[in-house]
Amino acid sequence: MSEGQLASQSNVLRNGKRVVMVNGIPASGKSSIARELATATGWPILSVDGIKEPFMRQLEHVDRALNRRLGIASYQAIWSVIANAPQGCTFIVDAWFGFQPKENLVSFLHEAQVTAVAEIWCQLPGELAAQRYESRLANRLPGHPGAEYIPELIALAERAEPMRLGPVYIADQTKTAEPNNLLNWTREVLSTINYK
């Protein structure tokens, strides 16, 4: 890399905000990938469940409708944190982005002045997602959808797709991943301005 390229990269890292979108349907392995990236980079994770669940513990009678409202508020809170962060910050956002309109995400990215986006799409067949989801039910807080959600999850897996607002890495969750490949790809993608 030339001196000019190095200077340009340094300027991007210093002046921009960067977001790694770890995206996928529920039980697709998002949180595991987000934690691996955070451990390797030191970048903070912002997750919908991480923000939502403390409120769920304090509230009584959380049904699916209230759960969804809390999820929407948590999603908005994530982007508020990013918008108020100083230039030069990088965040890992762990969420099923498809639960809200794509237009909302575009607005949030613009308002937060994000200059680089890397999307990691956690790809998983519906039947395997259903098995994973079912195995976690006993440890989920009351208010999260239960076993009745599994048919809906299987159907969702058939139609779900990445946001595609920037480069996308397909993380096939049926195969053993090579963490360094994902880490190197993410660092390279975020080293340039790819979103305005």
Side-chain angles (χ1 to χ4, degrees), residues 59-112:
L59 297 172
E60 296 181 359
H61 311 300
V62 178
D63 58 11
R64 188 168 179 186
L66 179 54
N67 182 339
R68 185 170 181 82
R69 288 174 61 194
L70 290 171
I72 292 170
S74 299
Y75 188 62
Q76 292 172 343
I78 284 171
W79 295 108
S80 178
V81 169
I82 296 172
N84 285 286
Q87 296 295 316
C89 289
T90 302
F91 295 92
I92 299 167
V93 180
D94 167 2
W96 159 226
F97 288 85
F99 93 110
Q100 286 292 281
K102 189 173 183 178
E103 295 76 17
N104 290 9
L105 175 59
V106 170
S107 295
F108 287 138
L109 288 167
H110 176 73
E111 290 166 7

Side-chain angles (χ1 to χ4, degrees), residues 70-195:
L70 290 171
I72 292 170
S74 299
Y75 188 62
Q76 292 172 343
I78 284 171
W79 295 108
S80 178
V81 169
I82 296 172
N84 285 286
Q87 296 295 316
C89 289
T90 302
F91 295 92
I92 299 167
V93 180
D94 167 2
W96 159 226
F97 288 85
F99 93 110
Q100 286 292 281
K102 189 173 183 178
E103 295 76 17
N104 290 9
L105 175 59
V106 170
S107 295
F108 287 138
L109 288 167
H110 176 73
E111 290 166 7
Q113 298 181 318
V114 171
T115 55
V117 172
E119 181 178 6
I120 299 167
W121 174 249
C122 299
Q123 186 166 283
L124 191 70
E127 292 296 335
L128 184 51
Q131 291 173 22
R132 289 186 177 185
Y133 190 87
E134 186 172 22
S135 71
R136 300 173 184 177
L137 287 176
N139 299 317
R140 299 282 274 172
L141 288 175
H144 282 294
E148 75 282 355
Y149 176 66
I150 290 175
E152 186 178 333
L153 177 63
I154 294 172
L156 178 62
E158 296 300 317
R159 65 178 187 274
E161 58 185 23
M163 292 290 102
R164 300 192 186 282
L165 296 176
V168 179
Y169 184 102
I170 305 298
D172 186 342
Q173 298 293 72
T174 65
K175 299 177 181 177
T176 302
E178 174 48 61
N180 285 337
N181 290 345
L182 179 56
L183 177 61
N184 292 338
W185 177 86
T186 303
R187 288 187 186 278
E188 182 178 353
V189 167
L190 296 184
S191 68
T192 58
I193 294 173
N194 64 27
Y195 191 85

